[in-house]
C-alpha cells in the first residue's frame, strides 16, 4: 500500500455512507476510489491512472472535465445559483431545451426537465397517462414494459422494468402493468454483429397483450431501444419498427428510454435515429450534461404538448415537476455539452469509430468463457458463461482484475462485461481496453 493511499484512506471515514448498487461491506474492505479525471482517464486513490472504458457510466460522452463545460458551470454558479422552477424560470433552461429540440428525432420538439433518468421515466409514464385523460381516453391506464428492461429505480420505473433483482425486494409495484418478452436468445443470435437478424416477431407479443387487455385500456409501451443495463441487448432487425406499427394501429403511445442510448452512443444523436423509428416520447439523462451536473428529461411530440394546452390559460396544465427541473447549473452544463458535441462532431466521430470497436471486440470470440459478443455504435457487450451456482461472479472478477491489474475500468451486469467508451476515444484507447479484457479472460477461473 503506497503512502498516498494510506493517507487518503486514513483521513476518510467510510462508515456512514451507504453506497448504491454496491456490495458495501466488501467494498469498504478494499475500497476503489476515483479522485480526479481528465479526458479518457481517472486517477485512483492509490495514484494509478485508469482508462475509463465506460464513459463514467454511459454518460461522459465527451470525456472528463472538459473545459467549456467546467467554465459554463462555474460562470452559472456565480451568476444565478438557483431559480424557482415553478411559475418562474431562467434563460439557460430555454437554451438547453432549444438545443435538444434541434437534435431530437423529428417531431419531438418539447422538453420537460428532471434531474435523473429515473425521474425522467416516471415523468414520461405520467405524461402518457395524463395525455390520454386530457383527450377523454382515461381508461388507458395500463403501462407495458419489457422483461429485462431497466428504467431506473422509481416505483414507475421498477414496475415497467424487468430486472428481477431490482424488483423483488420491494413487492408493491404499480398494478396496471404488463411486460413484453425480452429479445435475448443465444441459440439464435449469439455473436451477431450489430442488429441480430432473428427476433422481430417478438414484437408481436404486443398484439397478444392488446387482445388480453384491450387497446382501450393500454396507455403506453416503454422500451430501451437498446437494453443497456441488463447487458447490452441490441434490438433485432425490424423489431422496433414492428412495435411502432402495432402501437400506431391501437393508439398506444411508444416511449423510448434513451437514458443510455442518447447523445451519440449508438452512432446518431439518439438510438431512435440510428434504428429509424420515432417514438412519441423519449427520456434522456446522463450525457445531456456530459454527466457534469445531474439532469434528465422527457422529449415529447408537439401533439402531446398541445393536448395539454387546452384549458383556461391561467390553469396549470400538468401537475408535475421537481424543485430542480431545469436547474440553472444543469442547464448551463447541458448547453455547453450540447455545443461541444456539435463543435467537435462527436456523434459522427463515434459513428466512424464504431466499426473499429466492433472488429476489436468480435476478435475476443474463442477466448475462454466467452459465449456471446454484441455491439452497436460505441457500445459492446461480452457475455461470459457463468460459474455454476454463482451468477455474475465471473464477470465481476473480470471487472476487478481489469481495474486492479490492467488499469482499465469496465462495467459488468450479470455475466456481461459492458463497454461504452467516450466518443473522444482514440484507437489506441480501444486497443488498450479490449486488449486488457483479452488478457483478463485468459486468467479467469
Ligand atoms: C435506460 C435507463 N433508464 C433509466 C435509468 C435511470 O437513470 P438514473 O440512474 O439517472 O436515475 C438508467 C440508468 O442507467 C437507464 O439505463
Amino acid at each position: 500500500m503506497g503512502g498516498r493511499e494510506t493517507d487518503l484512506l486514513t483521513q476518510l471515514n467510510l462508515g456512514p455512507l451507504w453506497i448504491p448498487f454496491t456490495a458495501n461491506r466488501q467494498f469498504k474492505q478494499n475500497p476503489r476510489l476515483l479522485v480526479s479525471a481528465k479526458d479518457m482517464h481517472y486517477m485512483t486513490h492509490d495514484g494509478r491512472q485508469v482508462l475509463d472504458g465506460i464513459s463514467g457510466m454511459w454518460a461522459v460522452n465527451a470525456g472528463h472535465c472538459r473545459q467549456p463545460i467546467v467554465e459554463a458551470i462555474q460562470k452559472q454558479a456565480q451568476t444565478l445559483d438557483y431559480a424557482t422552477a415553478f411559475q418562474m424560470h431562467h434563460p439557460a433552461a430555454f437554451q438547453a431545451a432549444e438545443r435538444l429540440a434541434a437534435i431530437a428525432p423529428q417531431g419531438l420538439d418539447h422538453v420537460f426537465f428532471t434531474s435523473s433518468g429515473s425521474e425522467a421515466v416516471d415523468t414520461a409514464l405520467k405524461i402518457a397517462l395524463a395525455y390520454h385523460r386530457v383527450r377523454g381516453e382515461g381508461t388507458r391506464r395500463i403501462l407495458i414494459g419489457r422483461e429485462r428492461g431497466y428504467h431506473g429505480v422509481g416505483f414507475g420505473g421498477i414496475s415497467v422494468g424487468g430486472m428481477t433483482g431490482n424488483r423483488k425486494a420491494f413487492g408493491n409495484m404499480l398494478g396496471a402493468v404488463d411486460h413484453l418478452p425480452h429479445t435475448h436468445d443465444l441459440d439464435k443470435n449469439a455473436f451477431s454483429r450489430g442488429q441480430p437478424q432473428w427476433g422481430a416477431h417478438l414484437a408481436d407479443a404486443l398484439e397478444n397483450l392488446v387482445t388480453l387487455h384491450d387497446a382501450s385500456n393500454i396507455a403506453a409501451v416503454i422500451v430501451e431501444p437498446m437494453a443497456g443495463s441488463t447487458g447490452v441487448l441490441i434490438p433485432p432487425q425490424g423489431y422496433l419498427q414492428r412495435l411502432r406499427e402495432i402501437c400506431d394501429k391501437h393508439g398506444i403511445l411508444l416511449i423510448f428510454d434513451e437514458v443510455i442510448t442518447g447523445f451519440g452512443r449508438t452512432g446518431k444523436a439518439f438510438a431512435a435515429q440510428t434504428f429509424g423509428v420515432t417514438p412519441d416520447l423519449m427520456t434522456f439523462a446522463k450525457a445531456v450534461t456530459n454527466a457534469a451536473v445531474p439532469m434528465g428529461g422527457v422529449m415529447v411530440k408537439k401533439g402531446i404538448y398541445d393536448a395539454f394546452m387546452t384549458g383556461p390559460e391561467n390553469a396549470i396544465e400538468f401537475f408535475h415537476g421537481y424543485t430542480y427541473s431545469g436547474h440553472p447549473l444543469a442547464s448551463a452544463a447541458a448547453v455547453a455539452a450540447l455545443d461541444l458535441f456539435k463543435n467537435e462532431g462527436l456523434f459522427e466521430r463515434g459513428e466512424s469509430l464504431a466499426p473499429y470497436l466492433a472488429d476489436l471486440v468480435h476478435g475476443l470470440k474463442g477466448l475462454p468463457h466467452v459465449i456471446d459478443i454484441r455491439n452497436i455504435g460505441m457500445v459492446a457487450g461480452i457475455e461470459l458463461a457463468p460459474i455454476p451456482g454463482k451468477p455474475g461472479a465471473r464477470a465481476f472478477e473480470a471487472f476487478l482484475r481489469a481495474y486492479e491489474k490492467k488499469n482499465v475500468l469496465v462495467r459488468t451486469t450479470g455475466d456481461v462485461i459492458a463497454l461504452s467508451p467516450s466518443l473522444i476515444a482514440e484507437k489506441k484507447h480501444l486497443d488498450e481496453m479490449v486488449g486488457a479484457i483479452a488478457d483478463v479472460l485468459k486468467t479467469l477461473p
Side-chain angles (χ1 to χ4, degrees):
M1 191 183 276
R4 194 161 160 187
E5 176 183 13
T6 320
D7 286 354
L8 185 67
L9 290 183
T10 50
Q11 283 162 22
L12 281 179
N13 176 4
L14 301 182
L17 184 65
W18 191 346
I19 312 168
F21 277 121
T22 296
N24 274 251
R25 287 158 300 164
Q26 181 195 50
F27 183 95
K28 288 176 185 179
Q29 281 165 24
N30 187 17
R32 296 177 292 278
L33 304 189
L34 303 170
V35 293
S36 67
K38 185 67 191 151
D39 297 333
M40 290 298 297
H41 291 95
Y42 283 115
M43 286 301 289
T44 68
H45 74 274
D46 49 349
R48 290 181 298 125
Q49 193 185 49
V50 166
L51 177 66
D52 181 4
I54 52 170
S55 301
M57 199 152 70
W58 318 84
V60 186
N61 287 8
H64 290 274
C65 286
R66 296 299 308 275
Q67 204 54 28
I69 303 174
V70 172
E71 280 168 16
I73 297 167
Q74 285 170 336
K75 190 165 161 219
Q76 186 64 52
Q78 283 168 351
T79 313
L80 178 72
D81 51 355
Y82 177 71
T84 176
F86 307 161
Q87 302 289 14
M88 298 291 292
H89 231 64
H90 66 94
F94 292 95
Q95 292 162 353
E98 189 185 22
R99 279 167 177 74
L100 283 162
I103 60 168
Q106 213 184 358
L108 291 161
D109 51 8
H110 285 75
V111 186
F112 194 104
F113 283 122
T114 70
S115 296
S116 70
S118 299
E119 289 177 356
V121 167
D122 276 11
T123 301
L125 299 177
K126 286 174 75 176
I127 293 174
L129 293 171
Y131 166 76
H132 289 301
R133 188 180 276 247
V134 293
R135 292 163 48 255
E137 288 194 51
T139 56
R140 290 187 180 266
R141 292 174 56 242
I142 297 173
L143 300 166
I144 293 177
R146 190 168 57 187
E147 293 166 358
R148 296 192 62 163
Y150 183 63
H151 300 291
V153 293
F155 275 101
I158 61 171
S159 299
V160 292
M163 290 178 70
T164 317
N166 297 343
R167 294 160 55 92
K168 68 181 179 196
F170 310 110
N172 195 354
M173 307 276 151
L174 292 183
V177 166
D178 212 332
H179 289 79
L180 294 166
H182 66 73
T183 61
H184 191 41
D185 188 322
L186 282 178
D187 289 338
K188 301 283 194 315
N189 285 337
F191 300 104
S192 296
R193 197 177 153 123
Q195 289 190 264
Q197 283 178 1
W198 177 93
H201 66 281
L202 294 167
D204 293 342
L206 182 55
E207 285 285 13
N208 300 345
L209 294 179
V210 170
T211 306
L212 180 67
H213 298 292
D214 197 79
S216 64
N217 290 311
I218 302 177
V221 171
I222 180 167
V223 292
E224 302 156 88
M226 175 210 78
S229 296
T230 191
V232 184
L233 304 183
I234 318 291
Q237 291 170 21
Y239 173 88
L240 295 172
Q241 282 78 359
R242 202 96 143 227
L243 275 188
R244 176 73 274 180
E245 282 160 23
I246 301 170
C247 285
D248 284 346
K249 182 169 149 199
H250 297 291
I252 299 167
L253 294 173
L254 180 61
I255 307 172
F256 278 179
D257 185 348
E258 294 239 20
V259 165
I260 276 182
T261 47
F263 309 103
R265 180 54 56 200
T266 64
K268 305 282 183 212
F270 293 95
Q273 294 147 333
T274 302
F275 299 125
V277 176
T278 305
D280 301 298
L281 300 93
M282 183 183 83
T283 60
F284 64 87
K286 295 190 187 259
V288 62
T289 62
N290 205 36
V293 183
M295 184 181 230
V298 185
M299 304 210 64
V300 302
K301 283 189 174 160
K302 181 172 168 10
I304 295 178
Y305 175 81
D306 286 347
F308 285 83
M309 303 298 136
T310 47
E313 288 202 356
N314 63 344
I316 292 171
E317 298 103 356
F318 182 44
F319 279 82
H320 179 77
Y322 302 92
T323 301
Y324 298 136
S325 282
H327 188 283
L329 264 58
S331 297
V335 170
L338 296 167
D339 286 349
L340 191 61
F341 291 141
K342 186 172 169 190
N343 295 341
E344 295 192 348
L346 288 184
F347 301 160
E348 296 76 16
R349 183 185 164 79
E351 189 173 30
S352 66
L353 264 179
Y356 190 79
L357 177 64
D359 286 346
L360 281 177
V361 290
H362 282 280
L364 298 173
K365 187 174 177 184
L367 287 181
H369 316 299
V370 175
I371 57 172
D372 190 16
I373 296 168
R374 312 185 270 274
N375 74 288
I376 193 85
M378 287 291 271
V379 184
I382 300 138
E383 184 160 350
L384 308 182
I387 298 173
K390 290 189 186 170
R394 181 167 276 143
F396 189 72
E397 187 58 31
F399 153 77
L400 282 181
R401 289 184 190 200
Y403 178 72
E404 284 166 2
K405 301 197 188 326
K406 295 286 167 187
N407 294 330
V408 171
L409 184 65
V410 301
R411 187 165 163 68
T412 63
T413 165
D415 274 296
V416 179
I417 300 172
L419 303 176
S420 54
S422 295
L423 310 178
I424 61 162
E426 292 170 26
K427 287 182 178 172
K428 67 176 184 198
H429 298 124
L430 305 182
D431 292 342
E432 182 184 341
M433 186 178 79
V434 179
I437 293 171
D439 290 347
V440 164
L441 286 173
K442 291 174 200 155
T443 68
L444 277 184

